[in-house]
Amino acid sequence: MDRRTKEAVRYLGYGSHAVDDGTLALIRDSFDELDQTAGRRIVYRIFDVLFKSGDCMEIGGFPVTSKDLGKNLTGCERVIVLGATLGPETDLLMRRYTLTDMAKTVVLQACGAAMLEEYLDERQEEIRQEAAKQGLYIRPRFSPGYGDLSIRYQEMILRMLDAPKRIGLSMTEGKMLTPTKSVTALIGLSRQNIACHIRGCEACGKTDCIFRRG
C-alpha cells in the first residue's frame, strides 16, 4: 500500500482495521480520476513577523492573536503565507458522484484530502530547499483552525495572497474555503534548525516538543 493510499485509508477512519478489497479498488479508481481531473494550484508570499506582547504578533502588518501559532513561530524572522487548492474541477467530480454513488463520493473526499496533503508536502520540500540556500530553516505548516488559531484568519491570508484572483481560492460567508479541497497555511522561517514533522503537530507523535500546539 503506497503512502497516499494509506493516507486515504486514514481519512476514511479505518484506523488499525483491515481494509477490504472493494474499498481499496474504489481508492485506486478515485486517485486515477483525481490525477486526470485535479487542477493543483498554489500561491505563496513571504512576510516579516513581529512579535508583540502576550500572544499577539503582526504578520505582514496584519495583527494575529494565537498562543499556539506564537509557539510554532518562536525564533522565526519571517513567515511564508500560502494557499493551495485542487481546483473547482475536483468539486465538480465529487458533486457528480453525489447524484449516483455515495460510496464513491465518500472515498473521493478522502482521496482528495490525501492528494492535497501530498501536493503540499511536495511543494513544501521545494520551499525548504530554496530556504536552505539562504541559511534558513522552515517550521511545520500551521493552518487556521489548528489549535487556537481562529478560522477567521482565512480571510486575512486570502487577502494577503490575492488568492481569489491568482488561483481561484476564496471563502464562503461561513469562513469555509472554496473550492473545498483547499488549504491555507503559515510556515515559519528561522535561522534555527529545529527538527519538526513536515505536516505539523497534528501528524507528529512527539508530545514533549516546545513548539507543539496545545
Side-chain angles (χ1 to χ4, degrees):
M1 192 183 296
D2 62 22
R3 177 177 166 182
R4 69 177 184 174
T5 299
K6 290 179 181 178
E7 282 296 293
V9 168
R10 182 175 69 86
Y11 279 114
L12 286 168
Y14 275 84
S16 59
H17 299 290
V19 187
D20 60 274
D21 291 341
T23 299
L24 287 174
L26 273 177
I27 290 173
R28 286 193 296 271
D29 289 345
S30 295
F31 275 127
D32 286 345
E33 290 195 64
L34 286 168
D35 282 333
Q36 297 175 38
T37 304
R40 303 170 184 83
R41 303 175 184 92
I42 190 169
V43 59
Y44 64 88
R45 296 180 63 191
I46 300 175
F47 298 91
D48 292 332
V49 56
L50 177 63
F51 293 93
K52 312 291 255 186
S53 60
D55 302 332
C56 301
M57 65 203 87
E58 284 186 3
I59 298 175
F62 285 84
V64 178
T65 302
S66 169
K67 178 181 179 181
D68 295 331
L69 179 62
K71 285 166 58 180
N72 180 277
L73 297 179
T74 298
C76 293
E77 304 169 3
R78 311 192 78 191
V79 177
I80 298 164
V81 179
L82 70 81
T85 181
L86 297 186
E89 303 90 343
T90 300
D91 281 6
L92 289 172
L93 178 66
M94 292 189 292
R95 193 174 303 127
R96 177 158 56 86
Y97 276 106
T98 299
L99 302 173
T100 60
D101 190 339
M102 281 306 300
K104 182 66 173 288
T105 303
V106 171
V107 173
L108 274 170
Q109 289 277 0
C111 290
M115 176 176 280
L116 182 59
E117 287 293 318
E118 179 183 57
Y119 178 60
L120 281 168
D121 290 347
E122 292 170 352
R123 300 288 81 77
Q124 187 167 323
E125 175 57 20
E126 293 172 359
I127 291 170
R128 185 196 67 77
Q129 293 178 19
E130 288 299 314
K133 295 176 183 177
Q134 303 173 48
L136 296 170
Y137 301 92
I138 66 171
R139 293 286 169 79
R141 56 182 180 260
F142 203 105
S143 293
Y146 290 171
D148 67 349
L149 183 62
S150 173
I151 198 77
R152 67 185 175 86
Y153 290 112
Q154 301 274 36
E155 184 175 5
M156 174 196 80
I157 292 174
L158 296 177
R159 190 181 310 144
M160 294 170 81
L161 297 173
D162 195 17
K165 182 177 180 179
R166 297 185 67 183
I167 61 171
L169 175 57
S170 58
M171 188 178 67
T172 67
E173 290 185 2
K175 309 298 183 187
M176 302 302 292
L177 294 175
T178 181
T180 57
K181 292 305 174 192
S182 304
V183 70
T184 61
L186 305 164
I187 301 174
L189 285 171
S190 173
R191 298 198 178 275
Q192 302 175 33
N193 186 9
I194 305 296
C196 283
H197 196 291
I198 188 173
R199 296 187 183 182
C201 302
E202 70 282 358
C204 179
K206 185 175 172 59
T207 58
D208 59 346
C209 176
I210 62 171
F211 299 104
R212 189 173 184 85
R213 63 179 169 87

